[in-house]
Amino acid sequence: MSPPIDDVSASARIAGPGEDIGPEELALAARNHGLPLEALRYDVTPPGLHYVLTHYDIPAADASTWQITVRGDVRRPLTVTMDELRSMPSATVRVTMECAGNGRARLTPRPVSQPWLVEAVGTAEWTGVPLRALLADAAPGPGAVEAIFTGADHGVERGVEQDYARSLPLSVATGRDSDVLVAYAMNGLPLPPQHGHPVRLVVPGWYGMAHVKWLRDITVTDTPFTGFQQAEAYRLRQDPGEAGEPVTRIAPRSLLVPPGFPDFMSRTRVVRPGTVRLEGRAWSGRAPVTAVEVSTDHCRTWETADLAPGDGAPWAWRRWEHTWTAAPGHHVLSTRARDAEGNVQPVDPPWNRGGFANNAVQRVDVLCLRPAD
């Protein structure tokens, strides 16, 4: 008799007091990667610098034989090839995508998983077919409530063998202002393998777990989806036994391009005295960003930064800048965003067992040299 699959699939856990990041987390950190913060200078992130999180393996995918099925509670089931998909009317949407676990490694106690700091983000121009058009062709039934999206990536998580799958309410999937895409291009080129080649879902304003990669099936249902990634994994829980609230839209965040130059190991920044131009990006999936503030004294006081126009891309980050007069000594720089619904980044991180949606303010250690240095 073979051993149970639980022998290779651990339960979720919280790091013990003083427990450092272990080999399994280091392996995840090496496999996945975040955005180098200096790349915040780009309006659109080059694909190789965009953050990547892959739950299981990157599947082998041949675009010439790939098909997407649309089935379930629909009047006209569909099977769509990539050539057929590319022949349909398309749209291009600039979208800032952020991993739901961004900031997890900064929590105390630390949920043991992919140990993100603040770099799990990127902005791309995605091209594809609006999901509402594809679903309109399939004609969901009058009782349909959700669409389930299944990828080709297969693995085991917390003892559950599964294809990666997530769902969206039909009100989101077919909303006129949602801009959800079945996307086949990133920044004008075919999707790279790590970003879902040949086709993926892009859900503007939602954390990355909703953007199912290597999309192969869409199933419309008349009941809510209860799969692992929907009902178990991405929930905001304080205690193991509670159902928790679902992780959905991106909380507001602002990140600073680290100024000056870095120490190799500590990443402490070094600047010279005088005028230092600070810049960064801010975004929110809940409402447009309306203000960004900057602190140069460890969050004791805040000053308003200059926020650039939105450039007609409501789902993408916005550039901001601020002038700082640096004096010799050690400083801690932070930035925080506020959106039109009044959501603002907290100074202290919000804790939950999964380490999700931690949008606490960034802290950047800076050493300003003396003039003689």
Side-chain angles (χ1 to χ4, degrees):
M1 180 181 294
S2 63
I5 202 166
D6 286 355
D7 285 1
V8 299
S9 185
S11 301
R13 71 182 186 89
I14 304 299
E19 179 183 349
D20 292 330
I21 289 175
E24 290 181 338
E25 288 175 288
L26 284 175
L28 285 175
R31 179 175 178 80
N32 302 303
H33 71 80
L35 172 84
L37 291 181
E38 60 270 27
L40 288 164
R41 295 188 178 97
Y42 296 105
D43 291 334
V44 175
T45 308
L49 299 180
H50 195 289
Y51 98 91
V52 170
L53 177 79
T54 304
H55 276 79
Y56 309 128
D57 285 350
I58 297 172
D62 183 351
S64 67
T65 59
W66 197 270
Q67 295 179 332
I68 300 174
T69 54
V70 185
R71 58 193 177 95
D73 187 7
V74 297
R75 289 187 283 272
R76 293 186 295 272
L78 306 174
T79 299
V80 183
T81 68
M82 291 304 301
D83 285 343
E84 291 170 334
L85 192 71
R86 295 189 194 99
S87 71
M88 297 177 183
S90 66
T92 298
V93 183
R94 184 177 295 185
V95 176
T96 294
M97 190 183 300
E98 182 179 9
C99 184
N102 202 14
R104 177 183 290 123
R106 301 168 68 206
L107 295 175
T108 303
R110 188 184 78 256
V112 176
S113 186
Q114 166 66 32
W116 292 123
L117 295 171
V118 296
E119 299 91 349
V121 67
T123 295
E125 291 189 337
W126 305 96
T127 300
V129 174
L131 176 62
R132 59 177 175 267
L134 203 59
L135 289 176
D137 288 346
V145 295
E146 287 192 355
I148 304 168
F149 306 91
T150 303
D153 44 335
H154 184 86
V156 58
E157 198 165 346
R158 299 187 214 167
V160 180
E161 185 178 355
Q162 60 190 280
D163 295 332
Y164 188 88
R166 288 276 308 182
S167 73
L168 289 173
L170 275 187
S171 59
V172 173
T174 62
R176 298 301 303 177
D177 60 349
S178 64
D179 290 331
V180 180
L181 291 179
V182 178
Y184 48 77
M186 179 184 190
N187 296 355
L189 296 172
L191 296 177
Q194 72 273 26
H195 288 291
H197 173 81
V199 62
R200 70 175 299 166
L201 196 68
V202 173
V203 188
W206 285 55
Y207 281 112
M209 79 283 155
H211 304 237
V212 176
K213 292 182 280 189
W214 311 292
L215 181 65
R216 61 177 180 80
D217 182 77
I218 301 171
T219 301
V220 177
T221 67
D222 58 4
T223 57
F225 179 50
T226 58
F228 178 86
Q229 302 294 342
Q230 198 81 21
E232 295 295 329
Y234 287 95
R235 314 287 293 193
L236 301 174
R237 296 184 178 94
Q238 297 297 311
D239 299 304
E242 65 178 301
E245 292 296 318
V247 178
T248 56
R249 293 191 175 273
I250 299 172
R253 188 190 292 277
S254 177
L255 288 180
L256 171 76
V257 176
F261 53 92
D263 172 69
F264 173 70
M265 282 299 297
S266 71
R267 309 311 292 179
T268 297
R269 309 301 297 191
V270 180
V271 300
R272 303 195 187 279
T275 299
V276 177
R277 188 173 73 93
L278 304 179
E279 62 176 316
R281 302 279 173 171
W283 63 93
S284 173
R286 301 178 181 179
V289 170
T290 55
V292 172
E293 295 175 300
V294 174
S295 172
T296 58
D297 58 5
H298 214 310
C299 299
R300 287 189 289 270
T301 63
W302 297 87
E303 297 182 19
T304 301
D306 294 324
L307 187 62
D311 294 331
W315 302 112
W317 56 26
R318 292 176 64 180
R319 186 175 58 83
W320 60 263
E321 59 182 39
H322 182 70
T323 299
W324 172 43
T325 303
H330 288 271
H331 306 269
V332 177
L333 276 52
S334 295
T335 173
R336 66 185 180 190
R338 184 185 304 274
D339 69 23
E341 291 184 355
N343 302 300
V344 63
Q345 287 183 257
V347 171
D348 298 316
W351 191 88
N352 59 82
R353 291 187 61 85
F356 300 126
N358 172 20
N359 66 329
V361 299
Q362 177 191 21
R363 288 175 168 84
V364 179
D365 293 319
V366 177
L367 170 63
C368 179
L369 301 174
R370 297 170 304 197
D373 295 333

